[in-house]
């Protein structure tokens, strides 16, 4: 069964087709218009999705052929309301016009499904969803059965990368840029705090403020300082994420973890997890940031069970698993 998936939850207009675990297409257009603001402007994001969605879906189905698609998956939440509306309305129209079912996918669940393209992971496993909007620890009992055990109390990990990038006068989104300049910095140069919050929760706002105060205390920002700040900040985020992963893996006696979402493409995170005794699974970096393929993978699971969404499905900016 060929499934078309679409995601317009934030600032990427994306669509992709799968047949089982085979990716037939994966088209992602990241909106650059937000870079001058240092963060996503929801109204501009929604307007840009409207401009791009038809073209992106056309490209995703170009070689597949519209008539060969048996089902549609689309993100209905969580995300930005206006942006979600564009994808959901488009998917409903296409589903109606082609007389094929559609399934409204939870964006967090879609990120978890990005693991299954390349990996078969024994259940239960622990999923760490780390993106611009989410930092969540979830026990995946099986596909479709989740227990959220921890979340961020303030900023998401990706959001912290984006905010620190802005503080350093760098561009948006900041994750990849910070990672790049951190390569020439020393991770132990500055001892930024690792928040100690209860249970399996996370907190990054103290770290962000520590970077801000450190910057204020510096007379001039030379290039090498920026890389030391980036490397030390990145180290603090990575250490905080790994500490909670190890705690959850030990307490629940589950040694398998899947790390998904934009921050999962971070190489330092991947490297440091190698020495922890945990079996860590990552999606291909192309499938870490938002994409239609992961949505199609998730929709495929439900459509296969003849679970369809009704045409009156609404977007939900705060949908939970
Ligand atoms: O999953 P995603 O595309 O969007 C959300 O669902 O939020 O994640 C985007 C986030 C951004 O905050 C971006 O800065 C971060 O992922 N990111 C990274 C890296 N690549 C993207 N953070 C750290 N290291 C990276 N290599
Ligand atoms: Zn995402």
């Amino acid at each position: 069964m060929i499934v078309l998936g679409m995601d317009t939850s934030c600032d990427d207009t994306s669509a992709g087709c799968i047949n089982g675990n085979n990716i037939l297409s994966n088209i992602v257009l990241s909106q650059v218009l937000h870079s001058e603001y240092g963060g996503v402007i929801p109204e501009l994001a929604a307007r840009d999705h409207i401009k791009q969605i038809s073209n992106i879906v056309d490209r995703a189905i170009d070689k597949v052929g519209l008539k060969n698609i048996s089902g549609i998956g689309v993100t209905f939440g969580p995300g930005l309301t206006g942006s979600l509306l564009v994808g959901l309305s488009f998917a409903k129209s296409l589903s109606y016009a082609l007389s094929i079912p559609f399934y409204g996918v939870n964006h967090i669940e879609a990120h978890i499904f990005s693991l299954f393209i390349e990996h078969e992971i024994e259940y239960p496993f622990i999923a760490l969803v780390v993106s611009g909007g989410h930092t969540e620890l979830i026990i995946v009992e099986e596909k479709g059965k989740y227990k959220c055990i921890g979340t961020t109390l303030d900023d998401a990990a990706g959001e912290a990368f984006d905010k620190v990038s802005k503080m350093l006068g760098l561009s948006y989104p900041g994750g990849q840029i910070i990672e790049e300049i951190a390569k020439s910095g020393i991770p132990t140069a500055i001892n930024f705090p690792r928040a100690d919050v209860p249970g399996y929760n996370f907190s990054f706002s103290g770290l962000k403020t520590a970077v801000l105060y450190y910057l204020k205390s510096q007379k001039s920002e030379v290039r090498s300082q920026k890389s030391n700040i980036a490397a030390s900040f990145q180290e603090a985020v990575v250490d905080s994420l790994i500490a909670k992963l190890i705690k959850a893996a030990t307490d629940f006696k589950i040694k398998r973890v899947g790390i998904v979402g934009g921050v999962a493409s971070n190489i330092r995170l991947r490297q440091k997890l190698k020495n922890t005794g945990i079996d860590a699974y990552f999606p291909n970096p192309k499938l870490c940031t938002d994409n239609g393929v992961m949505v199609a993978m998730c929709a495929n699971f439900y459509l296969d069970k003849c679970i369809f969404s009704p045409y009156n499905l609404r977007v939900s900016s705060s949908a939970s698993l």
Side-chain angles (χ1 to χ4, degrees):
M1 171 163 87
I2 296 182
V3 176
L4 163 69
M6 300 172 212
D7 186 277
T8 60
S9 59
C10 191
D11 57 343
D12 297 306
T13 317
S14 61
C17 291
I18 55 150
N19 188 357
N21 286 4
N22 294 324
I23 300 176
L24 306 178
S25 60
N26 182 20
I27 311 292
V28 180
L29 184 81
S30 297
Q31 300 176 347
V32 287
L33 54 106
H34 306 287
S35 60
E36 64 179 289
Y37 305 102
V40 179
I41 309 293
E43 180 64 21
L44 297 182
R47 285 167 190 252
D48 206 58
H49 284 307
I50 292 172
K51 264 197 232 157
Q52 304 296 347
I53 185 79
S54 172
N55 170 39
I56 294 302
V57 172
D58 269 351
R59 287 171 59 195
I61 57 176
D62 184 33
K63 294 205 171 68
V64 176
L66 206 51
K67 65 177 186 323
N68 296 319
I69 293 166
S70 309
I72 298 173
V74 62
T75 303
F76 80 98
L80 303 171
T81 301
S83 294
L84 289 165
L85 266 172
V86 178
L88 184 61
S89 308
F90 195 92
K92 282 180 184 175
S93 312
L94 200 57
S95 149
Y96 188 77
L98 297 174
S99 298
I100 56 173
F102 86 99
Y103 183 79
V105 168
N106 180 298
H107 185 77
I108 297 171
E109 189 174 16
H111 272 299
I112 294 172
F113 269 76
S114 67
L115 287 165
F116 304 135
I117 294 268
E118 286 179 10
H119 305 292
E120 259 188 50
I121 312 174
E122 198 186 310
Y123 298 102
F125 70 86
I126 296 170
L128 172 65
V129 184
V130 260
S131 68
H134 309 279
T135 306
E136 294 186 34
L137 259 186
I138 296 160
I139 296 183
V140 181
E141 283 160 10
E142 58 184 77
K143 282 178 187 166
K145 235 175 142 188
Y146 311 100
K147 200 162 113 195
C148 187
I149 56 169
T151 185
T152 180
L153 302 179
D154 37 61
D155 293 340
E159 190 180 358
F161 271 95
D162 297 335
K163 287 178 176 169
V164 167
S165 175
K166 192 176 177 185
M167 285 177 206
L168 293 174
L170 304 167
S171 189
Y172 173 89
Q176 256 186 331
I177 299 163
I178 296 267
E179 175 171 28
E180 193 49 43
I181 66 163
K183 283 181 189 159
S184 50
I186 303 162
T188 51
I190 309 149
N191 188 19
F192 286 132
R194 279 80 169 145
D196 184 18
V197 286
Y200 309 101
N201 292 325
F202 304 88
S203 166
F204 297 104
S205 70
L207 170 61
K208 181 189 67 187
T209 310
V211 176
L212 182 68
Y213 283 134
Y214 181 83
L215 278 170
K216 279 189 177 164
S217 72
Q218 299 302 300
K219 289 211 171 64
S220 65
E221 281 177 47
V222 287
R223 173 96 198 143
S224 70
Q225 263 179 332
K226 271 195 189 178
S227 34
N228 280 345
I229 295 166
S232 304
F233 159 77
Q234 177 177 259
E235 201 71 358
V237 175
V238 166
D239 286 350
S240 306
L241 294 175
I242 291 179
K244 289 297 160 108
L245 265 178
I246 292 176
K247 180 174 164 53
T250 311
D251 292 355
F252 289 91
K253 298 188 175 53
I254 302 172
K255 291 286 178 210
R256 296 163 300 279
V257 303
I259 298 100
V260 298
V263 183
S265 58
N266 187 278
I267 291 163
R268 186 72 182 155
L269 176 62
R270 291 180 179 228
Q271 275 172 347
K272 284 198 94 172
L273 262 168
K274 278 193 185 137
N275 311 317
T276 54
I278 286 176
D279 294 337
Y281 298 87
F282 292 91
N284 183 300
K286 273 193 197 141
L287 299 177
C288 286
T289 41
D290 292 348
N291 63 84
V293 166
M294 66 184 192
V295 177
M297 283 292 289
C298 184
N300 189 33
F301 171 72
Y302 290 100
L303 294 171
D304 211 31
K305 295 177 182 297
C306 292
I307 301 174
F308 310 142
S309 291
Y311 281 119
N312 63 1
L313 176 72
R314 291 173 170 210
V315 298
S316 169
S317 59
S318 57
S320 58
L321 268 182

